[in-house]
Amino acid sequence: MTSQVSSPAEQADGTDGSDAAVVGEQRKPGGTKDVRRLDRVIIRFAGDSGDGMQLTGDRFTSETASFGNDLSTLPNFPAEIRAPAGTLPGVSSFQLHFADHDILTPGDAPNVLVAMNPAALKANIEDVPRGAEIIVNTDEFTKRAMQKVGYAASPLEDGSLDGYQIHPVPLTTLTVEALKDFDLTRKEAERSKNMFALGLLSWMYHRPTEGTEKFLKSKFAKKPDIAAANIAAFRAGWNFGETTEDFAVSYEVAPAAKAFPVGTYRNISGNLALSYGLVSAARQADLPLFLGSYPITPASDILHELSKHKNFGVRTFQAEDEIAGIGAALGAAFGGSLAVTTTSGPGVALKSETIGLAVSLELPLLVIDIQRGGPSTGLPTKTEQADLLQAMFGRNGEAPVPIVAPRTPADCFDAALEAARIALMYRTPVMLLSDGYLANGSEPWRIPELDELPDLTVQFAQGPNHTLEDGSEVFWPYKRDPQTLARPWAVPGTPGLEHRIGGIEKQDGTGNISYDPANHDFMVRTRQAKIDGIDVPDVEVDDPHEARTLVLGWGSTYGPITAAVRRLRAAGEPIAQAHLRHLNPFPKNLGAVLKRYDKVVIPEMNLGQLATLIRARYLVDAHSYNQVNGMPFKAEQLASALKEAIDG
């Protein structure tokens, strides 16, 4: 369920387009303004990084979710805590796509841009299609502010915006006027202009208001005057939309009643879904959950969230660095916990030796990598899929680990459960590859019933498991389950189960230190066989028209790829689609699937890492379509590339 806006021709197929289709129009009872019904809308809030755009977008999203629309979001903000005010690098934006039916991406282009200053306008105008609405805070369009971003003349006056529906609104002045009866300085009052803008947009799109007012009262519970001021600004924005002549039309987007199976839903981000998935996995396994982590963007929210759930047996440890974080987590795994460490690409590099140690010790450990742009520090707040080869091979020696990748923000919940299943059943560290787009984006999520969750119960070793030639019974820490090749999990302190641990090669069975070449060869091949033998579902192929071209994806490209496929099929183009959750091992039927098609196209937010693996493993001439600009694919862009592949 991700999103974008469709044209009337695309509406019936639910494909993601770029224009909201008008599906009805009526006069508002008792009023003079028109109300137009749309099937979908894309709104982008943009302003200085101190203007509260992320909060504004989050509140609009929450009210939209409670209203029942399908939705998808794309927060986009600078890495600096406070970039220089009024500059292009300091622009923060939040894009929301909501609809009355199932959608797949946050949208290619906004139908409405709210620009809080000249920098926000200039940074985003190229994405705004002609005819779209632009709400501009005219108070910020001073000569100095415009010169700072390279405007020689005011774009509001030089005719450069004639192709758009411009709504000039003095947001700052109106907010200060609305709060004149509050004991606030002008600067303090100006901070509420984002709430004025939120109120105006809430009126334009008939969003509920009770939740936002309740949120403001809670957020500023210790500062009731500030809470009251923000609520007053929010109501003033609503009233301005109701009374001003500049906004003659408001819009309705009906709930997406037919898009969702019956159930209880909430809006959820990828990181929050991952957190809930980890807690659920620990409960289903009847194990304590331990997180050893070091804060790093964009993974830190998982640490923040899990620290709130001590009542569910969750213990969080904020370490002094990445290596200490995973070291503590591995120790917790040895001690019998469901152990997790969270990080991004730079942290995975630092954790690599300990991941190798976990491979050698054969202990369950979840390594969650919320990918971002690299190399090195790279682009902390931008998204990328460039850690796949690091996850596959980024350790010394032969140290294979399973890899799982969620496809949408809500799917992060199920991916966490699946990663835990593999780790616990096969006694192995597991890499889970999410990314910044999934982590910060959000969509509706159906809260599962308890009986829908998998049983992850594990059995710890309780006593001897091997009989020596002299008849004595002993415990062999590396005696394996014949089905899974997993070794027993012995909790320290269990009488009679004492055994050595460490990174030096183990002797098969006994776990004693071994330098024997034949034993090392056997252990390397056994550890690989364990990963190769993991039971994963077959990859499913969506191919209603027996196409000759297959588009194969993984991770967060699911939404844009599916939206692009819908567009092509609506235009009569046959194309098949498959999406991988399990990247190591690959599904057993993947090779046969690939060989059914003349062409295989793999879109990735990297320079072709999955394509490299596919070409090497299956000798398939897979074609890469790559993007590494820190942003997710656009559906239109992908559709054009796939059309070229079909025709080529």
Side-chain angles (χ1 to χ4, degrees), residues 476-480 504-516 519-520 522-523 527:
W476 274 15
Y478 280 82
K479 186 168 185 177
R480 302 177 183 278
I504 297 178
E505 184 63 280
K506 312 293 185 297
Q507 184 182 55
D508 178 45
T510 68
N512 295 331
I513 291 174
S514 174
Y515 296 100
D516 178 61
N519 178 78
H520 176 60
F522 178 82
M523 293 295 280
R527 287 188 289 259

mmCIF file with all atom_site columns, all heavy atoms in Angstrom, residues 476-480 504-516 519-520 522-523 527:
data_model
loop_
_atom_site.group_PDB
_atom_site.id
_atom_site.type_symbol
_atom_site.label_atom_id
_atom_site.label_alt_id
_atom_site.label_comp_id
_atom_site.label_asym_id
_atom_site.label_entity_id
_atom_site.label_seq_id
_atom_site.pdbx_PDB_ins_code
_atom_site.Cartn_x
_atom_site.Cartn_y
_atom_site.Cartn_z
_atom_site.occupancy
_atom_site.B_iso_or_equiv
_atom_site.pdbx_formal_charge
_atom_site.auth_seq_id
_atom_site.auth_comp_id
_atom_site.auth_asym_id
_atom_site.auth_atom_id
_atom_site.pdbx_PDB_model_num
ATOM 1   N N   . TRP A 1 476 ? 27.745 -32.690 23.545 1.00 0.00 ? 476 TRP A N   1
ATOM 2   C CA  . TRP A 1 476 ? 28.514 -32.184 22.414 1.00 0.00 ? 476 TRP A CA  1
ATOM 3   C C   . TRP A 1 476 ? 27.832 -30.919 21.872 1.00 0.00 ? 476 TRP A C   1
ATOM 4   O O   . TRP A 1 476 ? 26.724 -30.998 21.324 1.00 0.00 ? 476 TRP A O   1
ATOM 5   C CB  . TRP A 1 476 ? 28.597 -33.244 21.308 1.00 0.00 ? 476 TRP A CB  1
ATOM 6   C CG  . TRP A 1 476 ? 29.736 -34.209 21.503 1.00 0.00 ? 476 TRP A CG  1
ATOM 7   C CD1 . TRP A 1 476 ? 30.462 -34.402 22.632 1.00 0.00 ? 476 TRP A CD1 1
ATOM 8   C CD2 . TRP A 1 476 ? 30.263 -35.097 20.515 1.00 0.00 ? 476 TRP A CD2 1
ATOM 9   N NE1 . TRP A 1 476 ? 31.420 -35.358 22.437 1.00 0.00 ? 476 TRP A NE1 1
ATOM 10  C CE2 . TRP A 1 476 ? 31.328 -35.808 21.140 1.00 0.00 ? 476 TRP A CE2 1
ATOM 11  C CE3 . TRP A 1 476 ? 29.961 -35.385 19.191 1.00 0.00 ? 476 TRP A CE3 1
ATOM 12  C CZ2 . TRP A 1 476 ? 32.072 -36.770 20.465 1.00 0.00 ? 476 TRP A CZ2 1
ATOM 13  C CZ3 . TRP A 1 476 ? 30.701 -36.343 18.511 1.00 0.00 ? 476 TRP A CZ3 1
ATOM 14  C CH2 . TRP A 1 476 ? 31.757 -37.024 19.146 1.00 0.00 ? 476 TRP A CH2 1
ATOM 15  N N   . PRO A 1 477 ? 28.459 -29.767 22.016 1.00 0.00 ? 477 PRO A N   1
ATOM 16  C CA  . PRO A 1 477 ? 27.817 -28.512 21.612 1.00 0.00 ? 477 PRO A CA  1
ATOM 17  C C   . PRO A 1 477 ? 27.657 -28.355 20.102 1.00 0.00 ? 477 PRO A C   1
ATOM 18  O O   . PRO A 1 477 ? 26.885 -27.503 19.657 1.00 0.00 ? 477 PRO A O   1
ATOM 19  C CB  . PRO A 1 477 ? 28.744 -27.441 22.181 1.00 0.00 ? 477 PRO A CB  1
ATOM 20  C CG  . PRO A 1 477 ? 30.074 -28.108 22.315 1.00 0.00 ? 477 PRO A CG  1
ATOM 21  C CD  . PRO A 1 477 ? 29.773 -29.532 22.645 1.00 0.00 ? 477 PRO A CD  1
ATOM 22  N N   . TYR A 1 478 ? 28.381 -29.150 19.318 1.00 0.00 ? 478 TYR A N   1
ATOM 23  C CA  . TYR A 1 478 ? 28.266 -29.034 17.862 1.00 0.00 ? 478 TYR A CA  1
ATOM 24  C C   . TYR A 1 478 ? 27.726 -30.314 17.223 1.00 0.00 ? 478 TYR A C   1
ATOM 25  O O   . TYR A 1 478 ? 27.988 -30.598 16.064 1.00 0.00 ? 478 TYR A O   1
ATOM 26  C CB  . TYR A 1 478 ? 29.612 -28.643 17.242 1.00 0.00 ? 478 TYR A CB  1
ATOM 27  C CG  . TYR A 1 478 ? 29.881 -27.158 17.381 1.00 0.00 ? 478 TYR A CG  1
ATOM 28  C CD1 . TYR A 1 478 ? 30.387 -26.640 18.568 1.00 0.00 ? 478 TYR A CD1 1
ATOM 29  C CD2 . TYR A 1 478 ? 29.588 -26.272 16.357 1.00 0.00 ? 478 TYR A CD2 1
ATOM 30  C CE1 . TYR A 1 478 ? 30.604 -25.283 18.723 1.00 0.00 ? 478 TYR A CE1 1
ATOM 31  C CE2 . TYR A 1 478 ? 29.805 -24.911 16.494 1.00 0.00 ? 478 TYR A CE2 1
ATOM 32  C CZ  . TYR A 1 478 ? 30.313 -24.421 17.679 1.00 0.00 ? 478 TYR A CZ  1
ATOM 33  O OH  . TYR A 1 478 ? 30.519 -23.068 17.828 1.00 0.00 ? 478 TYR A OH  1
ATOM 34  N N   . LYS A 1 479 ? 26.926 -31.038 17.976 1.00 0.00 ? 479 LYS A N   1
ATOM 35  C CA  . LYS A 1 479 ? 26.196 -32.161 17.401 1.00 0.00 ? 479 LYS A CA  1
ATOM 36  C C   . LYS A 1 479 ? 24.891 -31.620 16.819 1.00 0.00 ? 479 LYS A C   1
ATOM 37  O O   . LYS A 1 479 ? 24.135 -30.938 17.515 1.00 0.00 ? 479 LYS A O   1
ATOM 38  C CB  . LYS A 1 479 ? 25.907 -33.219 18.463 1.00 0.00 ? 479 LYS A CB  1
ATOM 39  C CG  . LYS A 1 479 ? 25.277 -34.491 17.897 1.00 0.00 ? 479 LYS A CG  1
ATOM 40  C CD  . LYS A 1 479 ? 25.262 -35.613 18.909 1.00 0.00 ? 479 LYS A CD  1
ATOM 41  C CE  . LYS A 1 479 ? 24.737 -36.896 18.282 1.00 0.00 ? 479 LYS A CE  1
ATOM 42  N NZ  . LYS A 1 479 ? 24.787 -38.035 19.224 1.00 0.00 ? 479 LYS A NZ  1
ATOM 43  N N   . ARG A 1 480 ? 24.621 -31.913 15.566 1.00 0.00 ? 480 ARG A N   1
ATOM 44  C CA  . ARG A 1 480 ? 23.607 -31.161 14.838 1.00 0.00 ? 480 ARG A CA  1
ATOM 45  C C   . ARG A 1 480 ? 22.276 -31.890 14.681 1.00 0.00 ? 480 ARG A C   1
ATOM 46  O O   . ARG A 1 480 ? 22.225 -33.125 14.632 1.00 0.00 ? 480 ARG A O   1
ATOM 47  C CB  . ARG A 1 480 ? 24.142 -30.792 13.446 1.00 0.00 ? 480 ARG A CB  1
ATOM 48  C CG  . ARG A 1 480 ? 25.412 -29.982 13.504 1.00 0.00 ? 480 ARG A CG  1
ATOM 49  C CD  . ARG A 1 480 ? 25.986 -29.669 12.137 1.00 0.00 ? 480 ARG A CD  1
ATOM 50  N NE  . ARG A 1 480 ? 27.246 -28.952 12.300 1.00 0.00 ? 480 ARG A NE  1
ATOM 51  C CZ  . ARG A 1 480 ? 27.343 -27.657 12.529 1.00 0.00 ? 480 ARG A CZ  1
ATOM 52  N NH1 . ARG A 1 480 ? 26.246 -26.922 12.613 1.00 0.00 ? 480 ARG A NH1 1
ATOM 53  N NH2 . ARG A 1 480 ? 28.524 -27.079 12.696 1.00 0.00 ? 480 ARG A NH2 1
ATOM 54  N N   . ILE A 1 504 ? 38.105 -19.300 17.269 1.00 0.00 ? 504 ILE A N   1
ATOM 55  C CA  . ILE A 1 504 ? 38.967 -20.283 16.626 1.00 0.00 ? 504 ILE A CA  1
ATOM 56  C C   . ILE A 1 504 ? 38.123 -21.476 16.185 1.00 0.00 ? 504 ILE A C   1
ATOM 57  O O   . ILE A 1 504 ? 37.149 -21.842 16.846 1.00 0.00 ? 504 ILE A O   1
ATOM 58  C CB  . ILE A 1 504 ? 40.099 -20.711 17.576 1.00 0.00 ? 504 ILE A CB  1
ATOM 59  C CG1 . ILE A 1 504 ? 40.982 -19.498 17.909 1.00 0.00 ? 504 ILE A CG1 1
ATOM 60  C CG2 . ILE A 1 504 ? 40.940 -21.821 16.962 1.00 0.00 ? 504 ILE A CG2 1
ATOM 61  C CD1 . ILE A 1 504 ? 42.098 -19.791 18.880 1.00 0.00 ? 504 ILE A CD1 1
ATOM 62  N N   . GLU A 1 505 ? 38.498 -22.066 15.060 1.00 0.00 ? 505 GLU A N   1
ATOM 63  C CA  . GLU A 1 505 ? 37.708 -23.146 14.470 1.00 0.00 ? 505 GLU A CA  1
ATOM 64  C C   . GLU A 1 505 ? 37.422 -24.252 15.472 1.00 0.00 ? 505 GLU A C   1
ATOM 65  O O   . GLU A 1 505 ? 38.262 -24.622 16.291 1.00 0.00 ? 505 GLU A O   1
ATOM 66  C CB  . GLU A 1 505 ? 38.442 -23.735 13.260 1.00 0.00 ? 505 GLU A CB  1
ATOM 67  C CG  . GLU A 1 505 ? 37.658 -24.814 12.522 1.00 0.00 ? 505 GLU A CG  1
ATOM 68  C CD  . GLU A 1 505 ? 36.358 -24.291 11.923 1.00 0.00 ? 505 GLU A CD  1
ATOM 69  O OE1 . GLU A 1 505 ? 35.354 -24.151 12.668 1.00 0.00 ? 505 GLU A OE1 1
ATOM 70  O OE2 . GLU A 1 505 ? 36.347 -24.009 10.703 1.00 0.00 ? 505 GLU A OE2 1
ATOM 71  N N   . LYS A 1 506 ? 36.176 -24.755 15.392 1.00 0.00 ? 506 LYS A N   1
ATOM 72  C CA  . LYS A 1 506 ? 35.712 -25.807 16.292 1.00 0.00 ? 506 LYS A CA  1
ATOM 73  C C   . LYS A 1 506 ? 35.865 -27.180 15.649 1.00 0.00 ? 506 LYS A C   1
ATOM 74  O O   . LYS A 1 506 ? 35.739 -27.326 14.434 1.00 0.00 ? 506 LYS A O   1
ATOM 75  C CB  . LYS A 1 506 ? 34.235 -25.587 16.624 1.00 0.00 ? 506 LYS A CB  1
ATOM 76  C CG  . LYS A 1 506 ? 33.873 -24.169 17.031 1.00 0.00 ? 506 LYS A CG  1
ATOM 77  C CD  . LYS A 1 506 ? 34.498 -23.794 18.354 1.00 0.00 ? 506 LYS A CD  1
ATOM 78  C CE  . LYS A 1 506 ? 34.020 -22.419 18.794 1.00 0.00 ? 506 LYS A CE  1
ATOM 79  N NZ  . LYS A 1 506 ? 34.411 -21.342 17.866 1.00 0.00 ? 506 LYS A NZ  1
ATOM 80  N N   . GLN A 1 507 ? 36.058 -28.152 16.493 1.00 0.00 ? 507 GLN A N   1
ATOM 81  C CA  . GLN A 1 507 ? 36.006 -29.532 16.012 1.00 0.00 ? 507 GLN A CA  1
ATOM 82  C C   . GLN A 1 507 ? 34.548 -29.942 15.883 1.00 0.00 ? 507 GLN A C   1
ATOM 83  O O   . GLN A 1 507 ? 33.713 -29.610 16.733 1.00 0.00 ? 507 GLN A O   1
ATOM 84  C CB  . GLN A 1 507 ? 36.722 -30.468 16.984 1.00 0.00 ? 507 GLN A CB  1
ATOM 85  C CG  . GLN A 1 507 ? 36.799 -31.910 16.499 1.00 0.00 ? 507 GLN A CG  1
ATOM 86  C CD  . GLN A 1 507 ? 37.479 -32.813 17.510 1.00 0.00 ? 507 GLN A CD  1
ATOM 87  O OE1 . GLN A 1 507 ? 37.063 -32.871 18.669 1.00 0.00 ? 507 GLN A OE1 1
ATOM 88  N NE2 . GLN A 1 507 ? 38.529 -33.504 17.093 1.00 0.00 ? 507 GLN A NE2 1
ATOM 89  N N   . ASP A 1 508 ? 34.236 -30.620 14.805 1.00 0.00 ? 508 ASP A N   1
ATOM 90  C CA  . ASP A 1 508 ? 32.872 -31.097 14.615 1.00 0.00 ? 508 ASP A CA  1
ATOM 91  C C   . ASP A 1 508 ? 32.443 -31.940 15.819 1.00 0.00 ? 508 ASP A C   1
ATOM 92  O O   . ASP A 1 508 ? 33.182 -32.796 16.298 1.00 0.00 ? 508 ASP A O   1
ATOM 93  C CB  . ASP A 1 508 ? 32.800 -31.941 13.346 1.00 0.00 ? 508 ASP A CB  1
ATOM 94  C CG  . ASP A 1 508 ? 31.407 -32.508 13.123 1.00 0.00 ? 508 ASP A CG  1
ATOM 95  O OD1 . ASP A 1 508 ? 30.433 -31.754 13.277 1.00 0.00 ? 508 ASP A OD1 1
ATOM 96  O OD2 . ASP A 1 508 ? 31.304 -33.708 12.808 1.00 0.00 ? 508 ASP A OD2 1
ATOM 97  N N   . GLY A 1 509 ? 31.246 -31.646 16.314 1.00 0.00 ? 509 GLY A N   1
ATOM 98  C CA  . GLY A 1 509 ? 30.716 -32.424 17.427 1.00 0.00 ? 509 GLY A CA  1
ATOM 99  C C   . GLY A 1 509 ? 31.153 -31.893 18.768 1.00 0.00 ? 509 GLY A C   1
ATOM 100 O O   . GLY A 1 509 ? 30.362 -31.304 19.515 1.00 0.00 ? 509 GLY A O   1
ATOM 101 N N   . THR A 1 510 ? 32.439 -32.049 19.103 1.00 0.00 ? 510 THR A N   1
ATOM 102 C CA  . THR A 1 510 ? 32.900 -31.697 20.451 1.00 0.00 ? 510 THR A CA  1
ATOM 103 C C   . THR A 1 510 ? 32.989 -30.198 20.673 1.00 0.00 ? 510 THR A C   1
ATOM 104 O O   . THR A 1 510 ? 32.868 -29.728 21.806 1.00 0.00 ? 510 THR A O   1
ATOM 105 C CB  . THR A 1 510 ? 34.283 -32.302 20.709 1.00 0.00 ? 510 THR A CB  1
ATOM 106 O OG1 . THR A 1 510 ? 35.255 -31.654 19.876 1.00 0.00 ? 510 THR A OG1 1
ATOM 107 C CG2 . THR A 1 510 ? 34.286 -33.801 20.447 1.00 0.00 ? 510 THR A CG2 1
ATOM 108 N N   . GLY A 1 511 ? 33.241 -29.433 19.629 1.00 0.00 ? 511 GLY A N   1
ATOM 109 C CA  . GLY A 1 511 ? 33.442 -28.004 19.801 1.00 0.00 ? 511 GLY A CA  1
ATOM 110 C C   . GLY A 1 511 ? 34.817 -27.647 20.305 1.00 0.00 ? 511 GLY A C   1
ATOM 111 O O   . GLY A 1 511 ? 35.094 -26.468 20.581 1.00 0.00 ? 511 GLY A O   1
ATOM 112 N N   . ASN A 1 512 ? 35.711 -28.622 20.436 1.00 0.00 ? 512 ASN A N   1
ATOM 113 C CA  . ASN A 1 512 ? 37.078 -28.326 20.864 1.00 0.00 ? 512 ASN A CA  1
ATOM 114 C C   . ASN A 1 512 ? 37.817 -27.541 19.784 1.00 0.00 ? 512 ASN A C   1
ATOM 115 O O   . ASN A 1 512 ? 37.488 -27.623 18.602 1.00 0.00 ? 512 ASN A O   1
ATOM 116 C CB  . ASN A 1 512 ? 37.844 -29.625 21.158 1.00 0.00 ? 512 ASN A CB  1
ATOM 117 C CG  . ASN A 1 512 ? 37.241 -30.377 22.329 1.00 0.00 ? 512 ASN A CG  1
ATOM 118 O OD1 . ASN A 1 512 ? 36.660 -29.778 23.230 1.00 0.00 ? 512 ASN A OD1 1
ATOM 119 N ND2 . ASN A 1 512 ? 37.375 -31.700 22.313 1.00 0.00 ? 512 ASN A ND2 1
ATOM 120 N N   . ILE A 1 513 ? 38.840 -26.803 20.185 1.00 0.00 ? 513 ILE A N   1
ATOM 121 C CA  . ILE A 1 513 ? 39.655 -26.079 19.220 1.00 0.00 ? 513 ILE A CA  1
ATOM 122 C C   . ILE A 1 513 ? 40.300 -27.067 18.256 1.00 0.00 ? 513 ILE A C   1
ATOM 123 O O   . ILE A 1 513 ? 40.826 -28.109 18.664 1.00 0.00 ? 513 ILE A O   1
ATOM 124 C CB  . ILE A 1 513 ? 40.728 -25.246 19.936 1.00 0.00 ? 513 ILE A CB  1
ATOM 125 C CG1 . ILE A 1 513 ? 40.056 -24.099 20.705 1.00 0.00 ? 513 ILE A CG1 1
ATOM 126 C CG2 . ILE A 1 513 ? 41.750 -24.695 18.946 1.00 0.00 ? 513 ILE A CG2 1
ATOM 127 C CD1 . ILE A 1 513 ? 41.012 -23.298 21.550 1.00 0.00 ? 513 ILE A CD1 1
ATOM 128 N N   . SER A 1 514 ? 40.250 -26.740 16.957 1.00 0.00 ? 514 SER A N   1
ATOM 129 C CA  . SER A 1 514 ? 40.798 -27.652 15.962 1.00 0.00 ? 514 SER A CA  1
ATOM 130 C C   . SER A 1 514 ? 41.525 -26.881 14.870 1.00 0.00 ? 514 SER A C   1
ATOM 131 O O   . SER A 1 514 ? 40.994 -25.918 14.324 1.00 0.00 ? 514 SER A O   1
ATOM 132 C CB  . SER A 1 514 ? 39.679 -28.487 15.327 1.00 0.00 ? 514 SER A CB  1
ATOM 133 O OG  . SER A 1 514 ? 40.180 -29.276 14.272 1.00 0.00 ? 514 SER A OG  1
ATOM 134 N N   . TYR A 1 515 ? 42.743 -27.346 14.558 1.00 0.00 ? 515 TYR A N   1
ATOM 135 C CA  . TYR A 1 515 ? 43.501 -26.806 13.432 1.00 0.00 ? 515 TYR A CA  1
ATOM 136 C C   . TYR A 1 515 ? 43.604 -27.830 12.299 1.00 0.00 ? 515 TYR A C   1
ATOM 137 O O   . TYR A 1 515 ? 44.363 -27.632 11.349 1.00 0.00 ? 515 TYR A O   1
ATOM 138 C CB  . TYR A 1 515 ? 44.913 -26.419 13.884 1.00 0.00 ? 515 TYR A CB  1
ATOM 139 C CG  . TYR A 1 515 ? 44.924 -25.304 14.917 1.00 0.00 ? 515 TYR A CG  1
ATOM 140 C CD1 . TYR A 1 515 ? 45.082 -25.594 16.265 1.00 0.00 ? 515 TYR A CD1 1
ATOM 141 C CD2 . TYR A 1 515 ? 44.765 -23.981 14.532 1.00 0.00 ? 515 TYR A CD2 1
ATOM 142 C CE1 . TYR A 1 515 ? 45.088 -24.583 17.211 1.00 0.00 ? 515 TYR A CE1 1
ATOM 143 C CE2 . TYR A 1 515 ? 44.774 -22.955 15.467 1.00 0.00 ? 515 TYR A CE2 1
ATOM 144 C CZ  . TYR A 1 515 ? 44.932 -23.259 16.808 1.00 0.00 ? 515 TYR A CZ  1
ATOM 145 O OH  . TYR A 1 515 ? 44.931 -22.245 17.742 1.00 0.00 ? 515 TYR A OH  1
ATOM 146 N N   . ASP A 1 516 ? 42.856 -28.898 12.399 1.00 0.00 ? 516 ASP A N   1
ATOM 147 C CA  . ASP A 1 516 ? 42.930 -29.969 11.421 1.00 0.00 ? 516 ASP A CA  1
ATOM 148 C C   . ASP A 1 516 ? 42.346 -29.500 10.086 1.00 0.00 ? 516 ASP A C   1
ATOM 149 O O   . ASP A 1 516 ? 41.198 -29.048 10.034 1.00 0.00 ? 516 ASP A O   1
ATOM 150 C CB  . ASP A 1 516 ? 42.151 -31.178 11.927 1.00 0.00 ? 516 ASP A CB  1
ATOM 151 C CG  . ASP A 1 516 ? 42.160 -32.311 10.924 1.00 0.00 ? 516 ASP A CG  1
ATOM 152 O OD1 . ASP A 1 516 ? 43.244 -32.805 10.599 1.00 0.00 ? 516 ASP A OD1 1
ATOM 153 O OD2 . ASP A 1 516 ? 41.065 -32.663 10.434 1.00 0.00 ? 516 ASP A OD2 1
ATOM 154 N N   . ASN A 1 519 ? 38.983 -31.121 9.101  1.00 0.00 ? 519 ASN A N   1
ATOM 155 C CA  . ASN A 1 519 ? 37.878 -30.665 9.940  1.00 0.00 ? 519 ASN A CA  1
ATOM 156 C C   . ASN A 1 519 ? 37.418 -29.274 9.517  1.00 0.00 ? 519 ASN A C   1
ATOM 157 O O   . ASN A 1 519 ? 36.218 -28.990 9.466  1.00 0.00 ? 519 ASN A O   1
ATOM 158 C CB  . ASN A 1 519 ? 38.298 -30.656 11.406 1.00 0.00 ? 519 ASN A CB  1
ATOM 159 C CG  . ASN A 1 519 ? 37.187 -30.144 12.318 1.00 0.00 ? 519 ASN A CG  1
ATOM 160 O OD1 . ASN A 1 519 ? 36.246 -30.857 12.633 1.00 0.00 ? 519 ASN A OD1 1
ATOM 161 N ND2 . ASN A 1 519 ? 37.289 -28.875 12.740 1.00 0.00 ? 519 ASN A ND2 1
ATOM 162 N N   . HIS A 1 520 ? 38.400 -28.393 9.221  1.00 0.00 ? 520 HIS A N   1
ATOM 163 C CA  . HIS A 1 520 ? 38.039 -27.042 8.794  1.00 0.00 ? 520 HIS A CA  1
ATOM 164 C C   . HIS A 1 520 ? 37.237 -27.092 7.497  1.00 0.00 ? 520 HIS A C   1
ATOM 165 O O   . HIS A 1 520 ? 36.208 -26.410 7.355  1.00 0.00 ? 520 HIS A O   1
ATOM 166 C CB  . HIS A 1 520 ? 39.288 -26.186 8.608  1.00 0.00 ? 520 HIS A CB  1
ATOM 167 C CG  . HIS A 1 520 ? 38.994 -24.816 8.084  1.00 0.00 ? 520 HIS A CG  1
ATOM 168 N ND1 . HIS A 1 520 ? 38.178 -23.914 8.748  1.00 0.00 ? 520 HIS A ND1 1
ATOM 169 C CD2 . HIS A 1 520 ? 39.391 -24.185 6.937  1.00 0.00 ? 520 HIS A CD2 1
ATOM 170 C CE1 . HIS A 1 520 ? 38.101 -22.794 8.060  1.00 0.00 ? 520 HIS A CE1 1
ATOM 171 N NE2 . HIS A 1 520 ? 38.828 -22.935 6.951  1.00 0.00 ? 520 HIS A NE2 1
ATOM 172 N N   . PHE A 1 522 ? 35.386 -29.509 6.455  1.00 0.00 ? 522 PHE A N   1
ATOM 173 C CA  . PHE A 1 522 ? 34.068 -30.059 6.777  1.00 0.00 ? 522 PHE A CA  1
ATOM 174 C C   . PHE A 1 522 ? 33.180 -28.999 7.434  1.00 0.00 ? 522 PHE A C   1
ATOM 175 O O   . PHE A 1 522 ? 31.997 -28.869 7.085  1.00 0.00 ? 522 PHE A O   1
ATOM 176 C CB  . PHE A 1 522 ? 34.223 -31.268 7.703  1.00 0.00 ? 522 PHE A CB  1
ATOM 177 C CG  . PHE A 1 522 ? 32.913 -31.867 8.123  1.00 0.00 ? 522 PHE A CG  1
ATOM 178 C CD1 . PHE A 1 522 ? 32.242 -32.751 7.294  1.00 0.00 ? 522 PHE A CD1 1
ATOM 179 C CD2 . PHE A 1 522 ? 32.338 -31.532 9.341  1.00 0.00 ? 522 PHE A CD2 1
ATOM 180 C CE1 . PHE A 1 522 ? 31.026 -33.293 7.674  1.00 0.00 ? 522 PHE A CE1 1
ATOM 181 C CE2 . PHE A 1 522 ? 31.118 -32.071 9.720  1.00 0.00 ? 522 PHE A CE2 1
ATOM 182 C CZ  . PHE A 1 522 ? 30.461 -32.955 8.889  1.00 0.00 ? 522 PHE A CZ  1
ATOM 183 N N   . MET A 1 523 ? 33.727 -28.233 8.371  1.00 0.00 ? 523 MET A N   1
ATOM 184 C CA  . MET A 1 523 ? 32.922 -27.233 9.084  1.00 0.00 ? 523 MET A CA  1
ATOM 185 C C   . MET A 1 523 ? 32.492 -26.100 8.151  1.00 0.00 ? 523 MET A C   1
ATOM 186 O O   . MET A 1 523 ? 31.357 -25.606 8.227  1.00 0.00 ? 523 MET A O   1
ATOM 187 C CB  . MET A 1 523 ? 33.709 -26.682 10.271 1.00 0.00 ? 523 MET A CB  1
ATOM 188 C CG  . MET A 1 523 ? 33.965 -27.708 11.368 1.00 0.00 ? 523 MET A CG  1
ATOM 189 S SD  . MET A 1 523 ? 32.446 -28.290 12.187 1.00 0.00 ? 523 MET A SD  1
ATOM 190 C CE  . MET A 1 523 ? 32.148 -26.926 13.317 1.00 0.00 ? 523 MET A CE  1
ATOM 191 N N   . ARG A 1 527 ? 28.566 -25.354 7.506  1.00 0.00 ? 527 ARG A N   1
ATOM 192 C CA  . ARG A 1 527 ? 27.914 -24.064 7.768  1.00 0.00 ? 527 ARG A CA  1
ATOM 193 C C   . ARG A 1 527 ? 27.232 -23.531 6.506  1.00 0.00 ? 527 ARG A C   1
ATOM 194 O O   . ARG A 1 527 ? 26.141 -22.959 6.579  1.00 0.00 ? 527 ARG A O   1
ATOM 195 C CB  . ARG A 1 527 ? 28.936 -23.065 8.315  1.00 0.00 ? 527 ARG A CB  1
ATOM 196 C CG  . ARG A 1 527 ? 29.360 -23.347 9.758  1.00 0.00 ? 527 ARG A CG  1
ATOM 197 C CD  . ARG A 1 527 ? 30.218 -22.229 10.331 1.00 0.00 ? 527 ARG A CD  1
ATOM 198 N NE  . ARG A 1 527 ? 31.546 -22.192 9.740  1.00 0.00 ? 527 ARG A NE  1
ATOM 199 C CZ  . ARG A 1 527 ? 32.642 -22.678 10.301 1.00 0.00 ? 527 ARG A CZ  1
ATOM 200 N NH1 . ARG A 1 527 ? 32.567 -23.274 11.491 1.00 0.00 ? 527 ARG A NH1 1
ATOM 201 N NH2 . ARG A 1 527 ? 33.818 -22.585 9.699  1.00 0.00 ? 527 ARG A NH2 1
#
